[in-house]
Amino acid sequence: MRLLKPDWVSLDGKPIFSIDIHPDGSRFATGGQGDSSGKVVIWNMAPVRNEEDEKSDHVPKMLCQMDNHFGCVNCVRWSSNGRYLSSGGDDKLIMIWQTSRYAGSSTAFGSGGGVINVEQWRVGSTLRGHTGDVLDLAWSPNDMWLASCSVDNTVIVWNAQKFPEQVSVLRGHSGLVKGVTWDPVGKYLASQSDDKTLRVWRTLDWQQETCVKEPFRECGGTTHVLRLNWSPDGQYVVSAHAMNNSGPTAQIVERDGWQTNMDFVGHRKAITVVRFNPCILSKKLKETSLKPQNYTCCAIGSKDRSVSVWLTALKRPLVVTHDLFTSTVLDASWSQTGMELLVCSWDGTVAYLSFDKEEIGRPLLQSEKMELHKSLYGKTALSAGGVGLGTQIVESAELFDLQKTTKKESDVKSVHDHNGLTNAERKTQQTLTNGTTMNTPSKPLVVPPTNKQIETRTKDGRRRITPIFLAPQPEFGEAPLPFSSTSKEPQFSSSVEQSTIVVEKKETANSPSIPIKSTQTTSAAVTPVKQPLTSLSLSPVITENTNRIAAMPKSVTSVGAIETSPNLKAATQSEIASPQKPVDKPTTSQSASNVLSESAGDIEMSDRDRVDKAKVSIKRKAETITPSSLPLKRGPGRPRKDRTQDLYLTPSSIMPSSMPQMPVMTEQVRVVYAASGLDLPTPSIEKYLSIQIAGSVGSESSIVLEIENSMSTLGVGTLHKFRCVKLGHLSWECYSASKITACAGNSTRSGRKLWPSIALDSRLSILKCAAFYVMAITSRGNLFVWDTKQLNAVIKNESLVTVITNEEVRLDRCLLTEQGIPILILNNGKTYTYKTELGCWLIINDQNDLLTMCSGHQSSQTLHTSNSGPLALIQASSQRPGHRAHLLHVIDTSVKNTVTLTHLENQLSSALVLKSAEEYRFWMLAYVPLEDKLRDVCDDLLSPASKNSSLSKRPSMILGIKKRDLLQEILPLIASNLKLQRLYTEYQDQLESIK
């Protein structure tokens, strides 16, 4: 044995509360108190082992110093794979550290350049959940979970695959919990507390297995930590701070029946830490033995400042080091080889003990260790490849076959992904373990730079490069390589290869709308600029040449609906009013291409004309305003025209060929009296209007609706034209005696008019069309939805007063689904739809809903798939506010689970109301893994089971989906959780019997 104390391992003389050796043995971590914060330091192991490295100036002793904790660091623990370092402290936080991929050497922050960080470690996750100091941490076998204990009397189990998700909060201790340890075969978790109990918890359901009290009844006083530990063979858990005949002991609790018949004795004061050698050892302890004996080795630290090392096959300790420190021993750590031991103390020093095989025995190989576990416990977490099922055993052949099939499909899919499938085709592979959704650990995805550049040429020949978003590269790397003091500096070189960037050139570019003067040109299809959501928005703008107001289209899309800008002002009540006549609204297509028109004699004064009147001198107030009295620029050969008809269109729009001069019309000003109290903005009347309702510009499926108001008819009167253009050729056209203010459509046939003109209560504000349904909202806030296929009304004159409750609430946008369901999105973040069967409005989304903010549904495995539909479109812009993000960390886990369940039920009901079948399936698959009410869900999907069953009256379809087909899709999710395998077998058998 070799014993030494490296004096350079120090936190400036302050206590070192924890120490842990990295699995590769090249470094170790310490945690304790810094000058003004907690301190985590990673040290080089080579100078501890080798005196030459210790004396060499080229071998760094300290690798990295981290001062992120606000309070003293009480525990540091490496994960089994060495990729993560966890630390917990008095600031109630747990930090998960990872190496930085690209950072090099630097100086520690606040050290004034005196501390050099050879390695760079950053906080990958910060776990918030405890309300008191965190005292101990423990990684589960294969790093599936991380357990933490605190002075808040709880133990929290964290999902190490998806930090900061909590698996469970274990409550039961009535005192400060100061130690936690995992069963090496993955079935139990043990914790020890100041309440003089040691509790064992099952990982199957996170319930208490047993509570050991007897050995701790005589314990008096307290210790800073109670670091118990489980033996590597799983046969014993050894506690700290027990008493036997008034003497301090380390109590041995046997796995078989949790008996307490043995203990480790000899220390003069309370035991603070127990740490088993991770290896199972083998040696012939007696000369008469025919074969080697398997046993374990354990190190024990105490408040009496001494350390003892025990072999479980011997009755006396192998080594006892008296007065090794000047204060309490706080932590100990073995290397993975089982031959090195580091111990730290309150006095701020560290001791190193080295053994050889002759002294403690030969460590068993990993395969021999696994075989021993199999002989003792059957298939364990380690032999199952990290699934962590404890003693869960597959009970049916069907489930076993399903697991094999799923694994084969997963392997085939991973091969396809490797061969270049798109990101949308890739899904994160997950496994449901003991009721918890777990991700399969994967390497960080490094996204290569894009090799495509979009180049656009404007009409004046200028070159424009479209910016392309580059995904940020992951900052965290894999497990660090064993540290070597002879590492070479990084080498850099430049490439002389030619660029492989592909340039995609476009000849046209979007530019601001410009005024189109009245010219005689050839007629062509009007092709507006495409924008993502709702269609044409109109707002007043001032022309450059005349300082008058004209209406400019903001955007035109293929949706075919018209929305007005809130900037438009209605007629003021101070203006002279006349009774309002009903609005004429002819419909012109069998498949819902509709036009709303207005009588020429009852046109409200537009904003443009009001401004024109305001600009006329008071002395000329009584004069009649004519186009000839206004300034006009004329080009050669251009006919005189009415300047009030200046039009703003997109550059791709081409004016129709016929543009005759229009007679001056006297417009009558009137006021709309809205009985509902609402006065929604209405679209202004335009000379020309076009809507792309199908296809794209230049495509074979391109369909454009064109409107031309106020056409001259050789003295007979004024008509207004509405026509459909396909691929630049006229498909059909019709005329209206009233001016057309809006149009909407999705497809056209012959342009046949279905109904006489519809008389509404006030002018039209919004017109929408989807499939065979048409939606209209009037300026008084009344909603209509018609079915043009069945020729009936779906929603009749329903007022929006219920949802638009005051002047501050405005209608931002509205949608109409292909099922004829209206969706209203307000500026207060709420979204409504009207349910005819219920006769009321329903809230289907609220951006400020606390249920959505506190829900943990993002962890569901199905949410890694794509989702599209009306509900997804509505909620796409719903962001969780940053100032409320802390709710995700401070909310109680049990409350969070219930909130998640409630939120998913809201999503299911909303998808049902919107008749969105794909979204209903999407949220049902997210709802099922939560297990609650799972049997009720399966019963509903299985019905009707038989004619005599009480469930036989339930429908067998939902939103066009066969319930049993959906159940068949859900059952594999149930089967992936072995706790629910009997439920899976029950319903799988019933489905097969029905077939």
Side-chain angles (χ1 to χ4, degrees):
M1 187 192 78
R2 179 174 170 226
L3 172 63
L4 58 91
K5 293 185 68 176
D7 56 0
W8 48 268
V9 180
S10 173
L11 301 182
D12 299 327
K14 296 181 176 62
I16 299 177
F17 288 98
S18 185
I19 193 167
D20 201 38
I21 302 177
H22 192 275
D24 66 16
S26 65
R27 53 176 69 80
F28 65 95
T30 60
Q33 179 66 52
D35 293 332
S36 58
S37 62
K39 183 179 291 186
V40 177
V41 181
I42 300 176
W43 307 87
N44 190 358
M45 195 72 176
V48 178
R49 297 191 184 105
N50 193 324
E51 186 177 356
E52 293 181 0
D53 289 338
E54 184 179 13
K55 295 180 180 179
S56 174
D57 295 335
H58 301 289
V59 179
K61 296 180 175 62
M62 192 192 73
L63 303 181
C64 187
Q65 175 179 306
M66 299 91 83
D67 302 324
N68 296 48
H69 277 280
F70 299 112
C72 177
V73 177
N74 296 314
C75 186
V76 290
R77 291 291 182 264
W78 295 100
S79 60
S80 300
N81 58 15
R83 181 176 179 179
Y84 305 104
L85 173 65
S86 61
S87 61
D90 287 350
D91 53 5
K92 311 172 188 177
L93 302 178
I94 301 167
M95 296 185 182
I96 309 299
W97 303 84
Q98 291 178 257
T99 56
S100 179
R101 291 176 58 89
Y102 305 111
S105 299
S106 65
T107 59
F109 180 78
S111 65
V115 178
I116 305 298
N117 285 337
V118 179
E119 296 181 342
Q120 295 298 317
W121 290 77
R122 294 186 179 180
V123 178
S125 300
T126 301
L127 311 184
R128 298 174 173 87
H130 285 293
T131 58
D133 303 354
V134 179
L135 295 182
D136 202 16
L137 301 168
W139 293 85
S140 69
N142 293 322
D143 302 330
M144 294 176 297
W145 301 308
L146 174 67
S148 61
C149 63
S150 167
V151 299
D152 61 7
N153 303 350
T154 65
V155 176
I156 297 182
V157 181
W158 308 85
N159 187 347
Q161 307 297 320
K162 290 187 293 185
F163 287 130
E165 180 185 295
Q166 294 181 9
V167 177
S168 182
V169 179
L170 309 182
R171 307 180 189 276
H173 285 290
S174 59
L176 316 183
V177 187
K178 296 184 175 181
V180 65
T181 183
W182 289 92
D183 168 19
V185 296
K187 188 175 181 180
Y188 298 114
L189 172 67
S191 59
Q192 189 171 351
S193 167
D194 270 351
D195 61 5
K196 301 181 181 180
T197 64
L198 184 152
R199 299 176 188 266
V200 180
W201 314 83
R202 294 187 298 270
T203 59
L204 178 65
D205 53 7
W206 303 111
Q207 298 301 312
Q208 182 174 296
E209 171 75 12
T210 188
C211 178
V212 180
K213 299 180 180 179
E214 188 61 32
F216 313 104
R217 294 187 186 276
E218 300 179 11
C219 293
T222 183
T223 60
H224 182 73
V225 289
L226 295 170
R227 287 180 168 141
L228 70 168
N229 202 228
W230 218 298
S231 64
D233 58 3
Q235 292 292 295
Y236 311 99
V237 57
V238 179
S239 76
H241 196 23
M243 297 291 287
N244 186 1
N245 293 326
S246 301
T249 65
Q251 186 64 48
I252 300 174
V253 181
E254 300 180 48
R255 187 192 192 97
D256 185 11
W258 310 111
Q259 301 177 23
T260 56
N261 300 323
M262 298 181 292
D263 50 24
F264 293 110
V265 299
H267 286 276
R268 302 183 300 274
K269 293 184 180 180
I271 306 297
T272 55
V273 57
V274 176
R275 199 73 180 263
F276 271 94
N277 189 314
C279 301
I280 300 177
L281 305 171
S282 178
K283 183 182 179 181
K284 288 185 180 181
L285 298 176
K286 298 181 180 179
E287 296 180 356
T288 58
S289 300
L290 298 178
K291 61 179 181 179
Q293 180 181 352
N294 292 338
Y295 53 89
T296 59
C297 177
C298 152
I300 298 175
S302 169
K303 291 182 70 175
D304 62 5
R305 303 169 297 171
S306 64
V307 176
S308 60
V309 179
W310 299 73
L311 301 181
T312 56
L314 301 177
K315 295 182 179 181
R316 295 183 177 276
L318 178 67
V319 174
V320 178
T321 58
H322 293 289
D323 300 325
L324 184 59
F325 302 99
T326 60
S327 188
T328 303
V329 177
L330 292 177
D331 202 4
S333 176
W334 290 89
S335 66
Q336 289 298 309
T337 61
M339 298 298 165
E340 296 173 309
L341 174 66
L342 285 178
V343 185
C344 67
S345 169
W346 194 292
D347 62 11
T349 63
V350 170
Y352 170 78
L353 291 83
S354 175
F355 302 91
D356 56 35
K357 296 180 180 179
E358 295 296 328
E359 294 170 335
I360 63 173
R362 179 189 67 86
L364 295 184
L365 300 176
Q366 185 65 23
S367 58
E368 295 175 319
K369 187 176 178 180
M370 292 173 62
E371 288 297 326
L372 177 61
H373 284 167
K374 285 184 180 181
S375 64
L376 293 174
Y377 313 108
K379 195 172 185 180
T380 68
L382 292 175
S383 60
V387 179
L389 297 175
T391 57
Q392 289 291 309
I393 300 174
V394 178
E395 300 177 358
S396 63
E398 293 82 0
L399 185 57
F400 182 73
D401 293 338
L402 177 64
Q403 287 186 344
K404 290 176 62 178
T405 304
T406 304
K407 187 177 185 304
K408 289 181 180 179
E409 293 176 353
S410 175
D411 293 341
V412 172
K413 184 178 181 304
S414 63
V415 172
H416 282 264
D417 285 346
H418 183 69
N419 291 334
L421 289 181
T422 62
N423 290 333
E425 294 171 325
R426 297 182 180 131
K427 298 178 182 179
T428 304
Q429 301 209 355
Q430 298 172 320
T431 306
L432 283 174
T433 305
N434 294 339
T436 305
T437 305
M438 308 291 291
N439 279 341
T440 302
S442 59
K443 295 182 179 180
L445 178 63
V446 179
V447 182
T450 181
N451 60 350
K452 184 178 179 180
Q453 174 179 294
I454 299 178
E455 177 182 314
T456 306
R457 292 277 183 177
T458 60
K459 289 188 176 181
D460 57 1
R462 295 183 180 180
R463 182 170 170 237
R464 295 288 183 268
I465 305 298
T466 303
I468 298 178
F469 172 74
L470 297 179
Q473 303 299 306
E475 294 185 0
F476 303 108
E478 294 293 325
L481 297 176
F483 182 79
S484 173
S485 58
T486 60
S487 300
K488 296 181 179 180
E489 292 294 327
Q491 301 295 324
F492 301 94
S493 62
S494 60
S495 173
V496 296
E497 297 180 0
Q498 295 184 353
S499 173
T500 59
I501 296 179
V502 178
V503 178
E504 178 181 339
K505 296 186 177 181
K506 295 185 178 180
E507 297 301 326
T508 60
N510 295 337
S511 60
S513 299
I514 58 174
I516 305 298
K517 307 298 180 183
S518 125
T519 56
Q520 293 186 359
T521 59
T522 58
S523 176
V526 180
T527 56
V529 180
K530 297 180 67 177
Q531 299 234 352
L533 285 173
T534 53
S535 57
L536 189 63
S537 294
L538 304 173
S539 62
V541 296
I542 300 178
T543 62
E544 292 181 2
N545 298 331
T546 64
N547 292 328
R548 294 182 288 111
I549 291 185
M552 179 183 71
K554 282 186 177 178
S555 61
V556 182
T557 67
S558 59
V559 179
I562 292 183
E563 295 185 6
T564 58
S565 170
N567 295 329
L568 286 177
K569 299 180 179 178
T572 61
Q573 296 183 356
S574 62
E575 295 173 335
I576 303 175
S578 63
Q580 181 184 4
K581 295 183 180 181
V583 179
D584 295 331
K585 183 177 185 229
T587 55
T588 59
S589 173
Q590 185 177 0
S591 57
S593 177
N594 296 272
V595 177
L596 182 81
S597 61
E598 181 182 357
S599 175
D602 294 326
I603 304 175
E604 287 188 13
M605 175 177 287
S606 66
D607 291 333
R608 176 182 61 242
D609 295 321
R610 287 196 207 97
V611 175
D612 288 346
K613 270 200 168 186
K615 290 184 178 295
V616 177
S617 173
I618 298 177
K619 294 181 180 180
R620 302 183 59 192
K621 185 176 182 181
E623 296 181 6
T624 303
I625 301 175
T626 62
S628 59
S629 65
L630 300 174
L632 177 66
K633 289 186 177 181
R634 298 180 56 191
R638 296 182 181 178
R640 188 180 300 276
K641 64 180 279 289
D642 182 3
R643 292 299 297 174
T644 61
Q645 301 296 333
D646 278 350
L647 181 67
Y648 277 76
L649 291 177
T650 56
S652 58
S653 301
I654 302 177
M655 301 300 295
S657 58
S658 177
M659 291 287 295
Q661 182 176 352
M662 299 302 300
V664 178
M665 299 176 58
T666 303
E667 299 185 5
Q668 187 176 13
V669 180
R670 55 189 170 84
V671 176
V672 175
Y673 293 97
S676 63
L678 298 180
D679 191 6
L680 302 182
T682 58
S684 60
I685 301 174
E686 294 297 321
K687 173 66 176 177
Y688 297 102
L689 181 66
S690 64
I691 297 293
Q692 180 101 28
I693 66 170
S696 57
V697 178
S699 66
E700 296 182 358
S701 58
S702 174
I703 302 177
V704 179
L705 298 181
E706 295 181 352
I707 294 173
E708 182 180 355
N709 284 314
S710 303
M711 294 183 59
S712 176
T713 55
L714 300 178
V716 177
T718 302
L719 294 179
H720 315 279
K721 185 168 65 174
F722 175 67
R723 66 178 186 172
C724 175
V725 177
K726 295 183 179 180
L727 282 176
H729 302 288
L730 179 65
S731 176
W732 54 262
E733 66 179 0
C734 61
Y735 290 86
S736 170
S738 303
K739 282 191 175 181
I740 303 171
T741 60
C743 67
N746 50 41
S747 62
T748 60
R749 294 183 182 177
S750 61
R752 181 170 58 90
K753 189 173 182 178
L754 298 180
W755 293 333
S757 298
I758 299 174
L760 300 176
D761 62 285
S762 58
R763 292 190 63 183
L764 186 78
S765 177
I766 293 175
L767 181 67
K768 290 280 186 178
C769 180
F772 291 96
Y773 296 94
V774 178
M775 179 181 71
I777 299 178
T778 65
S779 61
R780 290 186 181 180
N782 290 325
L783 170 69
F784 300 85
V785 177
W786 300 285
D787 186 346
T788 61
K789 189 174 184 179
Q790 301 297 329
L791 302 180
N792 59 16
V794 179
I795 299 177
K796 306 175 184 178
N797 199 27
E798 183 60 37
S799 176
L800 303 187
V801 175
T802 304
V803 296
I804 303 179
T805 55
N806 54 61
E807 296 180 354
E808 296 181 356
V809 179
R810 299 189 307 274
L811 183 61
D812 268 1
R813 59 191 177 105
C814 60
L815 306 171
L816 181 66
T817 69
E818 294 184 354
Q819 291 75 28
I821 300 172
I823 300 174
L824 306 184
I825 303 174
L826 307 183
N827 64 338
N828 59 4
K830 293 184 179 181
T831 303
Y832 294 86
T833 187
Y834 188 80
K835 183 70 172 175
T836 308
E837 293 80 359
L838 300 179
C840 62
W841 292 92
L842 302 177
I843 302 177
I844 57 176
N845 184 49
D846 187 354
Q847 293 184 6
N848 300 317
D849 185 14
L850 286 176
L851 289 177
T852 305
M853 296 178 190
C854 300
S855 172
H857 63 277
Q858 291 85 357
S859 62
S860 172
Q861 63 173 354
T862 58
L863 297 188
H864 292 270
T865 64
S866 59
N867 178 30
S868 60
L871 191 59
L873 178 63
I874 295 166
Q875 297 175 343
S877 60
S878 300
Q879 301 290 338
R880 178 179 284 115
H883 67 279
R884 292 184 178 176
H886 69 281
L887 294 174
L888 298 175
H889 306 293
V890 302
I891 189 172
D892 185 81
T893 303
S894 60
V895 175
K896 182 177 180 180
N897 293 337
T898 306
V899 167
T900 301
L901 191 66
T902 305
H903 172 69
L904 292 179
E905 289 174 349
N906 287 342
Q907 295 293 91
L908 281 171
S909 60
S910 297
L912 198 59
V913 168
L914 296 176
K915 298 181 181 179
S916 178
E918 289 303 319
E919 288 184 302
Y920 184 82
R921 174 188 281 111
F922 177 86
W923 290 109
M924 177 61 75
L925 295 179
Y927 179 78
V928 167
L930 295 179
E931 301 180 22
D932 297 337
K933 309 175 185 178
L934 190 53
R935 183 172 291 276
D936 291 341
V937 173
C938 293
D939 284 341
D940 180 65
L941 296 178
L942 184 64
S943 64
S946 64
K947 294 182 179 180
N948 299 326
S949 172
S950 61
L951 306 176
S952 59
K953 295 183 180 180
R954 298 182 183 177
S956 60
M957 304 275 289
I958 183 167
L959 300 179
I961 305 174
K962 291 183 179 180
K963 287 186 175 182
R964 291 173 187 168
D965 291 346
L966 187 55
L967 177 60
Q968 191 69 55
E969 191 174 354
I970 287 174
L971 284 177
L973 293 177
I974 299 175
S976 61
N977 186 353
L978 290 186
K979 286 198 320 180
L980 305 175
Q981 57 179 301
R982 295 185 180 179
L983 186 68
Y984 162 81
T985 304
E986 175 185 344
Y987 285 96
Q988 183 65 34
D989 292 343
Q990 292 189 55
L991 277 178
E992 292 179 356
S993 64
I994 293 173
K995 293 179 181 179

